[in-house]
Amino acid sequence: MAIPTAAFVCDPHTPEYQRDLREIHRELRDEHPVYYNAERELWMISRYDDVKAALLDEATFSVERLEEAKMLPPMLVYLDGPRHDALRNLVSRGFTPRRVASLEGQVRSLAGGLLDAMNADAPVDLMSQFASQLPSCVIAALIGIPEERRPIFLHHTEEMLQAGVDGNDIRDPAAAIFAQFSELLNERRKERRDDLMSALLDAEIDGEALSEAELLGFCFLLVVGGNDTTMNLIGNGLALLMDHPEARRTLLDDPSRLPPAIEEMLRIEAPTQALPRCTTRDVELHGVRIPADSRVFLHFGAANHDERAFDDPGRFDIARNPNRHLSLGQGSHFCMGASLARMEARVAFETFLERFPQYAIEDTGRWVTSRWARSHPELRARLR
């Protein structure tokens, strides 16, 4: 049911936002393509062309001016310009196609081990026992987080999903993550290993080593991005296949069709629904003026359902082509770990569907209250 314009309020901090997401996004696109929530002092852009243009216009829609950039150590998602490019080029060496391909056997083994540990005769939670565990193990191994510390990092990164909601502050889980990495970096200074932490300690830009703040920022970004995005892609994908049995049958018959199916999962239920920017100047859009120094949410999730850009956007079409979704960003801030996330998801669905083709999820309609993520709190299932 459409929300009446006169009564329309969009507040990503509320449970109703996730519950009524499709209707809210439709109202935003059609009636309020430039929307302002005065209580939150938050602007929102929701149409596909507008969101894409803003992502590519980094001189106008800045990340460095955001309040988060002032709270946290320097990290790629809160840097603009040459310093961002230099740091990104440095860390992207850990995500080359060759490096990602070399990890597939390890990811497949991890996925098989997680499935082996499940009791097929009792209900399981696919979020906590599979969707969150697989990417957590993979990114932790890449970074160099010891196995015994991985649950601590996973706990705090999941807390980040609800940051900004009901008084939850991003600084609390962030501080806990930074404290853990500070200890681990000190250990690596004494003894290098074959991991990204060691590589970052030895890295230089223009003959200078990374600062302590940059090292912490890199590690923080890698663990949060590596956990949450892929966890939600896998969880949302399993729920979508539960709700669309014909798509599940197609993939069971032909797993080679998984790559385009994963792109459609990313489009329909973007793991990251929106991210903020700060305007560096006044912006005129659809007859509305957004003042300089305004906080603006770019709504990837709403843009991905824009009928101006996609035919029948509400339909889950695992063969959709082309599929120019914005779920992984655009421009210089395009998701650095996109190839790793796609590979992990493909392996996760291949192994899970082969093992439990008739799985049944009890309820796919519950969502975590989050201003930016699309995530199920749990997915209680019977494995068959």
Side-chain angles (χ1 to χ4, degrees):
M1 182 174 64
I3 299 171
T5 301
F8 180 73
V9 175
C10 179
D11 186 352
H13 299 71
T14 64
E16 291 77 17
Y17 175 75
Q18 292 287 343
R19 184 193 66 199
D20 302 326
L21 192 66
R22 297 286 180 265
E23 292 79 7
I24 291 171
H25 282 173
R26 185 179 300 111
E27 184 80 1
L28 280 175
R29 290 191 304 268
D30 293 348
E31 304 295 337
H32 310 279
V34 180
Y35 176 82
Y36 182 61
N37 184 311
E39 180 182 358
R40 303 290 184 184
E41 298 183 330
L42 177 65
W43 292 86
M44 303 179 194
I45 297 175
S46 53
R47 289 186 182 174
Y48 182 91
D49 286 347
D50 298 335
V51 173
K52 183 176 180 179
L55 286 168
L56 295 174
D57 186 0
E58 295 164 13
T60 301
F61 294 90
S62 168
V63 292
E64 282 190 353
R65 295 194 181 195
L66 290 167
E67 59 181 297
E68 292 92 338
K70 302 168 187 175
M71 294 180 194
L72 302 171
M75 61 183 72
L76 289 175
V77 291
Y78 299 127
L79 288 175
D80 296 317
R83 188 62 177 175
H84 165 273
D85 297 342
L87 290 170
R88 183 184 173 98
N89 288 339
L90 176 64
V91 80
S92 64
R93 298 170 193 169
F95 297 93
T96 63
R98 178 180 294 181
R99 174 66 167 152
V100 170
S102 73
L103 293 171
E104 182 167 335
Q106 181 181 357
V107 174
R108 197 170 295 276
S109 177
L110 286 168
L114 292 170
L115 297 177
D116 289 342
M118 292 183 185
N119 183 354
D121 297 322
V124 299
D125 176 13
L126 297 180
M127 288 301 295
S128 65
Q129 294 177 249
F130 187 62
S132 67
Q133 293 296 324
L134 182 61
S136 175
C137 291
V138 173
I139 198 65
L142 268 176
I143 297 170
I145 299 172
E147 189 170 346
E148 66 274 11
R149 294 202 191 189
R150 292 173 188 177
I152 300 172
F153 281 92
L154 182 58
H155 169 72
H156 291 306
T157 55
E158 289 179 349
E159 284 184 319
M160 298 287 293
L161 294 181
Q162 300 185 58
V165 175
D166 295 331
N168 295 324
D169 195 320
I170 190 175
R171 286 171 290 195
D172 295 334
I177 293 171
F178 291 135
Q180 289 287 325
F181 273 128
S182 183
E183 291 181 16
L184 290 173
L185 285 167
N186 283 333
E187 292 176 9
R188 290 299 181 281
R189 288 187 176 95
K190 298 173 185 176
E191 181 184 354
R192 298 291 198 269
R193 298 183 186 177
D194 183 18
D195 55 38
L196 280 175
M197 274 192 292
S198 298
L200 290 171
L201 283 168
D202 291 331
E204 293 182 350
I205 295 178
D206 297 330
E208 293 187 3
L210 300 179
S211 68
E212 178 73 6
E214 287 173 332
L215 288 167
L216 289 172
F218 262 132
C219 293
F220 176 91
L221 177 62
L222 289 168
V223 77
V224 172
N227 278 342
D228 288 348
T229 301
T230 312
M231 171 186 77
N232 293 330
L233 168 56
I234 295 171
N236 294 347
L238 290 171
L240 282 166
L241 294 180
M242 178 68 208
D243 292 338
H244 296 84
E246 70 290 346
R248 190 198 319 199
R249 284 193 295 270
T250 297
L251 296 177
L252 284 169
D253 291 340
D254 186 2
S256 70
R257 300 181 67 173
L258 268 167
I262 289 168
E263 298 308 306
E264 183 70 343
M265 294 169 187
L266 284 165
R267 185 190 71 84
I268 284 281
E269 298 289 9
T272 301
Q273 287 286 308
L275 285 177
R277 296 292 190 270
C278 183
T279 52
T280 61
R281 60 175 178 83
D282 290 359
V283 176
E284 290 281 344
L285 189 61
H286 300 292
V288 178
R289 183 178 68 88
I290 304 175
D293 296 318
S294 293
R295 185 176 177 86
V296 182
F297 257 30
L298 306 181
H299 276 276
F300 312 147
N304 286 343
H305 285 259
D306 191 347
E307 67 278 3
R308 300 162 189 81
F310 298 95
D311 293 331
D312 196 6
R315 181 166 58 93
F316 180 56
D317 179 5
I318 62 172
R320 186 179 294 274
N321 184 33
N323 193 342
R324 296 181 292 268
H325 64 77
L326 300 177
S327 299
L328 299 173
Q330 290 280 306
S332 69
H333 285 282
F334 181 80
C335 178
M336 186 170 55
S339 59
L340 178 62
R342 285 167 165 145
M343 183 270 284
E344 288 181 78
R346 175 176 55 78
V347 172
F349 293 120
E350 284 175 357
T351 55
F352 187 88
L353 290 174
E354 181 180 19
R355 187 79 62 92
F356 303 116
Q358 302 301 320
Y359 72 97
I361 300 174
E362 296 172 1
D363 181 5
T364 61
R366 294 178 58 228
W367 299 98
V368 171
T369 299
S370 173
R371 60 181 174 174
W372 59 271
R374 186 69 160 166
S375 179
H376 293 281
E378 62 178 8
L379 289 172
R380 302 294 294 179
R382 290 277 184 178
L383 303 178
R384 296 180 297 191

